[in-house]
């Protein structure tokens, strides 16, 4: 049933566990894996409200893109150790949840495996907002990992 | 990685699709399946605020329990057709999400497969509150199905 599995990563511990679990599911289903890291556009307007204003507004986006590239490279490296070769590494800019869901739909992924983070509550009641939005908006099944 | 899979069901279409997907995962992992239906306690206090008051407060709970038994029987019947024999059928009373999560933890389930329903938004932005709570509170991975 699962042929194409998308692994959105952000460098967090739950995302790393999601990579491990996604690899396990991919092995059981002989499915393909893709790692994706989405970074937000650095808004000069937002930045202008803070104390620090970049001289060159291109620079923050570039730094974020480089960071995202490092995150997908690390995840792909873990997958190589687990026996997966040539795993596509995708970096996108945009609102994280919507960008993940759009990418999954446009490329016919049939499973998204992602880390769910508890925020805002001592009991971990709330899912991280990105994983909650992805799970809500995605057309395909979503596997959430703690 | 998955040895015991819990399928919370409520008779809804997404829950039925979750049963199909859960069966598929169980086959790939050679895992055991259990179906669970949780019904809420019918509160006489709440009922007293409505126009209809039961003569015997035991009766509504009994009716809800019978309904829940029918739901798990139907799910177990579908699983029998898919080749799963003697699937445990569990009926519990309580707040749905917390009861599902508690049952999963007490019985060492390592995956919960459940239907996520879009409510409250034309875009289906919000997950059904039960699936959102379960996904947030559960210690084990959760697979949400549309």
């Amino acid at each position: 049933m699962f042929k194409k599995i998308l692994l959105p990563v952000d460098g967090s511990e739950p995302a790393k566990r999601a990579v491990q679990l996604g690899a396990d599911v991919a092995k059981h289903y002989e499915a393909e894996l893709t790692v994706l890291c989405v970074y937000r556009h650095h808004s000069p307007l937002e930045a202008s409200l803070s104390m620090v204003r970049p001289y060159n507004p291109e620079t923050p986006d570039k730094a974020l893109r480089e960071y995202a590239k490092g995150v997908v490279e690390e995840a792909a490296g873990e997958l190589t150790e687990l026996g997966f070769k040539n795993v596509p590494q995708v970096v996108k800019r945009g609102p994280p949840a919507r960008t993940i869901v759009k990418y999954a739909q446009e490329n016919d992924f049939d499973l998204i495996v992602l880390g769910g983070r508890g925020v805002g509550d001592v009991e971990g009641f709330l899912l991280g907002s990105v994983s909650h939005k992805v799970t809500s908006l995605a057309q395909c099944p979503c596997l959430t990992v703690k």
Side-chain angles (χ1 to χ4, degrees), chain A:
Chain A
M1 201 173 258
F2 302 134
K3 292 290 165 208
K4 287 185 75 179
I5 300 175
L6 184 62
L7 301 174
V9 289
D10 61 1
S12 68
E13 289 305 316
K16 286 175 188 173
R17 288 192 285 276
V19 167
Q20 300 287 325
L21 187 64
D24 191 73
V25 175
K27 278 185 184 170
H28 280 80
Y29 277 85
E30 296 180 20
E32 289 171 21
L33 290 170
T34 296
V35 289
L36 166 69
C37 184
V38 179
Y39 64 97
R40 284 177 188 279
H41 169 56
H42 179 84
S43 155
L45 177 64
E46 257 178 69
S48 73
L49 302 172
S50 77
M51 296 290 285
V52 185
R53 252 176 114 166
Y55 180 70
N56 176 355
E58 274 301 299
T59 309
D61 266 8
K62 199 176 165 188
L64 291 169
R65 187 167 61 242
E66 288 305 311
Y67 177 79
K69 278 172 73 174
V71 168
V72 290
E73 271 170 25
E74 192 189 342
E78 282 168 36
L79 292 170
T80 303
E81 281 180 25
L82 294 167
F84 293 87
K85 283 170 190 166
N86 305 318
V87 173
Q89 301 173 30
V90 183
V91 169
K92 294 258 172 202
R93 191 179 78 173
R98 287 182 186 274
T99 306
I100 292 166
V101 169
K102 189 164 176 257
Y103 185 80
Q105 277 168 219
E106 286 176 354
N107 295 278
D108 300 319
F109 284 90
D110 42 33
L111 178 66
I112 301 172
V113 185
L114 76 172
R117 281 181 302 291
V119 290
D121 189 292
V122 284
E123 201 184 17
F125 180 79
L126 293 171
L127 270 184
S129 64
V130 172
S131 69
H132 180 210
K133 279 190 199 171
V134 169
T135 309
S136 301
L137 294 172
Q139 299 291 313
C140 66
C142 293
L143 180 57
T144 316
V145 182
K146 281 291 154 64

